[in-house]
Amino acid sequence: MSVDYTHLLAASRIGTMELRNRMVVSAMGVVLSEADGTVGERMMGFHEEQAKGGAGLIVSGVVGVAWPVGAVVPHQTAISDDRFIPALSEMVKRVHRHGAKIAAQLHHGGLNAGYSAGEHDVPLWAPSLPQPMKGDFVQSFLPEELAAFAPKKMPMVKVLEQADIDLVVSQFAQGARRAKAAGFDGIEIHSAHGYLLSSFISPKSNSRTDSYGGSLENRLRLLLEVIAAIRAEVGTDYPLWCKLDAWEAGREGGITLQEAIAAAKLVEAAGVDAITVSSYHNSAIGKLHSASNIPHDPETNIPSATAIKAAVTVPVIASGRVEMEAANRHIGNGQYDFLAMGRKVLADPSLPSKLAAGKPDLIRPCVYCYTCVSAIYTQDPVRCAVNPLTGLEWQRKTHRVSGQNYVVVGAGPGGMEAACQLAEAGNRVTLIEKSGRLGGTLRFASLAYPANERLLDWLIARVKRSSVEVRLNTEATPELLARLKPDAVIVATGGRRDMPALAGSDLPHVFSGDDMRNLLLGQSSGALERKTGSLTRLATKVGAMTGMTDNLEFVRKASHTWMPLGRKVAIIGGELVGLELAEFLNERGREVTVIEPNSHMGRGLTLVRRARLLAELQEHGVTLHRGAADIAISKTAVTFGDKEGSIHSVQADHVIVAMGASGDTSVAVQIAALGYRIHVAGDANGIGYIEGAIRGASEAVEALIA
């Protein structure tokens, strides 16, 4: 059944700017410009790929009007001097070549510019001295992440005086002049997300008593002066809009929707051509980093966008985990005018053109893992777990070797990605999988985190559409390889999961991660048969024979009703697998305790996903123990010591050991010994989860055919 995307695909306009559709690439901080603030091939390739992909409008994010002052990350785009115009102009030309329009998002980081304060020894600009914030976000970091995130020195805060305010207004105006001179089709003023203009608007961060503080009109004064100064530079017919926070999560006394509606009316009266509706949060609280402008919950910001749309006459741009069918319906209902997307177009920059071609099933799905978002906290270039080319578009090779014969061993996410890339380049590919299913460990990952199933389904469908010959229930034996005569072999057989040397790990109520995967997915094993009763073994066999355990949604629902685990479950291992298992079992009524030997939990999860999951586990009663030593399992409990030397005992009906995963190149070594040229990809090289599998597959393919 085809889905109608008429409203999303309809042409529209913002002021005098005509757009080919209603899909906007949201402004993002991507750390892709050069060290001196100029845009180079990385940033140009990033935006040109989005233009090729059919976006109506691209908003190039966080373009610093006062750079290096106000810079929030390294390699941030600058527009603070005329010397930046030529490269920006070249980027605009490349985007225009493919029919898209591009706007510059003018930006000053204000209190959030810790990077510039540490790197360039400049103060943070602010309306007032900031209030201390308390929260758990810092505890979510792994040590190496915190080292990258923390500023090099304690920043000083500069409370703006009138001369400083006048300078800021001039910097935004001159940035706008340069943007127009470079050929940008419009300008978005970033007056949201706690940055300088937003910090003046929010009563939480603005305690001034002069004409820039107090009432909403006063707190909005700086933004209104910026709008007026930009209009004086670029004229009344040049497209100009601003991004506003509609509310602030976890900031008592912050911006409310009622104030945001009033602010929207005032900026409309000041002469903006549109309003981008967003939201912000208390940045000290980890979970809130995925609860406002980049939300985990679908359509978080749509009610606010709808309310603001009802109060103004200019177009409204909405965003925040909105699926395409819903966006088309919203626009058709008049709830907003444009949908801005970040994560979705990082996963597939050709999303708009695939919708326009009537092929939404070809869109590579975002799985909301926060790989892209988390990169900015460690000041790394943007990347995507499911799209290995994100941030590397400029390196795409135009010529690839074809007509070769390849074998890929292992049909997990890495194997499927590699096989499809090779086949799509015009090669003959045989995909060998020893089990009876495609998907590998992604099937279990999809059970615990349902968003992953979108990628699983997409990869399987991609394999089926391709020319790849799939051989299930097949071993890559020397005899088979001799018959296939491959020019090279990619080995993507996954990692190994050894049971650690824990006292009591051989007891019958102790399951490994593999045991749990086999149990829930209807796969038998000798270890599982020894540890389960006849009823469980029968249920497993029936599920496998009928295909019911192939249906992950069925397994999710059925496991709420029955699972052969006692009420109290201890999980030893608090990395990605252990924590996602804890969430899965807690949702099914189990009392779960997670015991982790290291001082930090959640390795393998991206920072923003980790911060949310750790908070939610504790909210739902899961007990988390870090730094456990001398772990031992008995028939009824797990005992361990803490860093103070105290001994703890946790009652457990069942114990799951979610530790011991490592790379496994044994198959690759065997095949290489036969004389074949090989490349190893995915967890076989070391546990890298979805991102490691997809990126490793792409790198293996590039090594063969680029």
Side-chain angles (χ1 to χ4, degrees):
M1 179 180 175
S2 62
V3 179
D4 180 17
Y5 298 104
T6 302
H7 303 298
L8 262 178
L9 295 169
S12 191
R13 61 194 305 137
I14 294 175
T16 59
M17 177 174 56
E18 296 185 358
L19 301 171
R20 59 186 173 186
N21 57 51
R22 308 293 188 97
M23 287 173 276
V24 178
V25 176
S26 180
M28 294 174 274
V30 292
V31 195
L32 292 177
S33 289
E34 303 307 301
D36 64 354
T38 58
V39 293
E41 289 299 320
R42 290 195 306 173
M43 182 63 90
M44 292 186 194
F46 178 69
H47 283 324
E48 186 172 9
E49 190 71 15
Q50 295 158 353
K52 290 178 184 177
L57 171 65
I58 297 164
V59 184
S60 193
V62 290
V63 181
V65 299
W67 187 94
V69 176
V72 293
V73 288
H75 298 274
Q76 181 174 329
T77 305
I79 201 166
S80 52
D81 190 275
D82 284 1
R83 67 185 174 89
F84 296 112
I85 294 176
L88 291 168
S89 180
E90 173 61 23
M91 181 173 73
V92 168
K93 290 175 184 175
R94 294 192 189 184
V95 167
H96 285 168
R97 201 176 294 158
H98 306 286
K101 300 294 175 64
I102 183 169
Q105 184 194 60
L106 301 186
H107 172 271
H108 191 303
L111 281 169
N112 288 342
Y115 164 75
S116 64
E119 188 70 23
H120 299 285
D121 197 23
V122 295
L124 304 178
W125 288 41
S128 316
L129 289 175
Q131 303 173 25
M133 294 189 297
K134 296 181 180 179
D136 60 357
F137 187 42
V138 171
Q139 282 72 52
S140 303
F141 283 73
L142 300 175
E144 63 269 25
E145 294 169 338
L146 190 58
F149 173 75
K152 292 183 177 180
K153 60 181 291 186
M154 182 61 67
M156 301 295 291
V157 176
K158 179 182 182 64
V159 176
L160 273 59
E161 299 178 357
Q162 188 60 54
D164 304 314
I165 290 173
D166 293 341
L167 175 59
V168 169
V169 172
S170 174
Q171 287 171 331
F172 272 92
Q174 291 306 304
R177 174 185 63 78
R178 295 182 187 110
K180 186 177 181 180
F184 281 99
D185 301 290
I187 290 167
E188 178 177 85
I189 303 168
H190 202 334
S191 45
H193 301 175
Y195 298 128
L196 182 60
L197 300 182
S198 169
S199 68
F200 270 80
I201 298 170
S202 174
K204 188 67 175 178
S205 51
N206 184 347
S207 59
R208 299 175 73 102
T209 57
D210 62 3
S211 61
Y212 291 92
S215 68
L216 175 64
E217 290 76 9
N218 281 357
R219 286 182 278 115
L220 213 63
R221 188 179 305 280
L222 175 55
L223 174 57
L224 296 177
E225 289 179 356
V226 165
I227 293 170
I230 289 176
R231 277 289 178 224
E233 282 290 340
V234 302
T236 58
D237 61 347
Y238 186 74
L240 172 67
W241 63 97
C242 63
K243 175 176 279 190
L244 293 175
D245 292 319
W247 51 283
E248 292 182 296
R251 299 190 84 191
E252 185 177 352
I255 295 169
T256 64
L257 179 57
Q258 290 70 32
E259 277 204 334
I261 291 171
K265 292 178 179 178
L266 288 170
V267 298
E268 179 184 23
V272 300
D273 296 307
I275 297 168
T276 301
V277 177
S278 191
S279 58
Y280 193 51
H281 56 272
N282 180 345
S283 60
I285 300 175
K287 181 178 176 178
L288 298 184
H289 285 256
S290 55
S292 62
N293 56 310
I294 308 169
H296 188 73
D297 294 332
E299 303 185 18
T300 293
N301 291 312
I302 298 309
S304 301
T306 302
I308 289 174
K309 172 64 178 173
V312 299
T313 60
V314 294
V316 166
I317 304 168
S319 65
R321 194 167 178 173
V322 183
E323 299 306 323
M324 298 299 95
E325 296 87 344
N328 189 69
R329 183 175 66 254
H330 296 159
I331 293 172
N333 292 340
Q335 292 174 253
Y336 51 85
D337 302 277
F338 296 89
L339 178 70
M341 296 174 283
R343 291 171 284 183
K344 281 185 171 62
V345 291
L346 293 178
D348 193 339
S350 295
L351 182 155
S353 63
K354 290 175 180 177
L355 282 186
K359 298 178 179 178
D361 55 312
L362 299 188
I363 296 170
R364 187 186 290 260
C366 170
V367 296
Y368 304 104
C369 64
Y370 302 97
T371 296
C372 55
V373 182
S374 298
I376 198 168
Y377 294 91
T378 50
Q379 302 183 354
D380 292 322
V382 70
R383 62 185 194 273
C384 175
V386 304
N387 181 357
L389 286 178
T390 297
L392 302 173
E393 296 84 0
W394 66 288
Q395 294 180 335
R396 183 192 291 271
K397 306 294 193 300
T398 55
H399 173 71
R400 310 185 94 185
V401 174
S402 60
Q404 299 293 293
N405 177 25
Y406 297 110
V407 166
V408 178
V409 184
M416 288 191 286
E417 176 72 24
C420 288
Q421 283 198 30
L422 290 168
E424 289 159 5
N427 296 288
R428 177 186 172 191
V429 182
T430 304
L431 178 60
I432 298 172
E433 168 58 39
K434 68 178 181 180
S435 78
R437 298 164 171 162
L438 297 173
T441 56
L442 183 55
R443 299 190 66 82
F444 191 49
S446 301
L447 188 63
Y449 189 53
N452 289 336
E453 191 173 3
R454 297 150 59 103
L455 178 64
L456 173 66
D457 291 344
W458 184 84
L459 284 169
I460 291 173
R462 184 183 178 198
V463 169
K464 290 179 178 178
R465 284 194 307 269
S466 75
S467 62
V468 173
E469 179 188 352
V470 177
R471 298 196 182 188
L472 299 177
N473 300 304
T474 302
E475 297 271 0
T477 62
E479 294 78 13
L480 176 58
L481 292 173
R483 290 197 300 273
L484 293 174
K485 297 182 175 61
D487 295 298
V489 179
I490 291 179
V491 179
T493 47
R496 58 187 298 169
R497 283 160 287 277
D498 298 323
M499 179 68 78
L502 297 172
S505 62
D506 57 345
L507 291 170
H509 68 300
V510 179
F511 290 167
S512 68
D514 278 350
D515 291 335
M516 285 300 300
R517 181 178 65 185
N518 293 333
L519 179 67
L520 290 168
L521 296 180
Q523 298 168 187
S524 62
S525 72
L528 190 59
E529 288 184 4
R530 290 193 302 271
K531 297 176 181 181
T532 53
S534 57
L535 178 61
T536 299
R537 294 195 296 271
L538 177 62
T540 301
K541 290 178 180 178
V542 169
M545 290 173 59
T546 61
M548 288 189 295
T549 48
D550 284 343
N551 184 330
L552 297 183
E553 183 59 26
F554 169 81
V555 176
R556 288 189 206 101
K557 291 179 178 178
S559 56
H560 277 278
T561 303
W562 179 81
M563 227 180 356
L565 292 175
R567 188 168 62 88
K568 295 183 178 181
V569 179
I571 297 175
I572 300 175
E575 297 189 356
L576 181 151
V577 174
L579 293 186
E580 290 194 341
L581 261 177
E583 181 181 42
F584 181 83
L585 295 175
N586 176 256
E587 290 172 349
R588 285 148 182 82
R590 294 334 189 254
E591 294 180 20
V592 181
T593 300
V594 181
I595 301 163
E596 167 57 43
N598 292 309
S599 58
H600 292 76
M601 283 194 172
R603 187 172 292 278
L605 290 160
T606 59
L607 170 60
V608 175
R609 166 87 175 120
R610 185 190 314 131
R612 167 169 285 270
L613 182 54
L614 287 171
E616 290 185 336
L617 288 173
Q618 292 177 94
E619 288 169 8
H620 291 94
V622 174
T623 303
L624 305 176
H625 291 284
R626 299 168 174 84
D630 301 320
I631 301 170
I633 306 167
S634 70
K635 291 181 178 180
T636 59
V638 178
T639 59
F640 58 92
D642 62 22
K643 61 182 179 181
E644 283 80 29
S646 299
I647 302 299
H648 299 263
S649 180
V650 174
Q651 296 298 303
D653 301 311
H654 280 91
V655 178
I656 301 169
V657 180
M659 294 171 56
S662 62
D664 182 5
T665 58
S666 58
V667 174
V669 169
Q670 292 169 12
I671 294 174
L674 299 173
Y676 297 102
R677 183 162 58 116
I678 67 158
H679 289 273
V680 183
D683 283 354
N685 259 334
I687 304 303
Y689 305 103
I690 291 174
E691 181 184 6
I694 298 294
R695 188 171 299 275
S698 187
E699 290 171 352
V701 169
E702 287 297 304
L704 286 174
I705 67 174

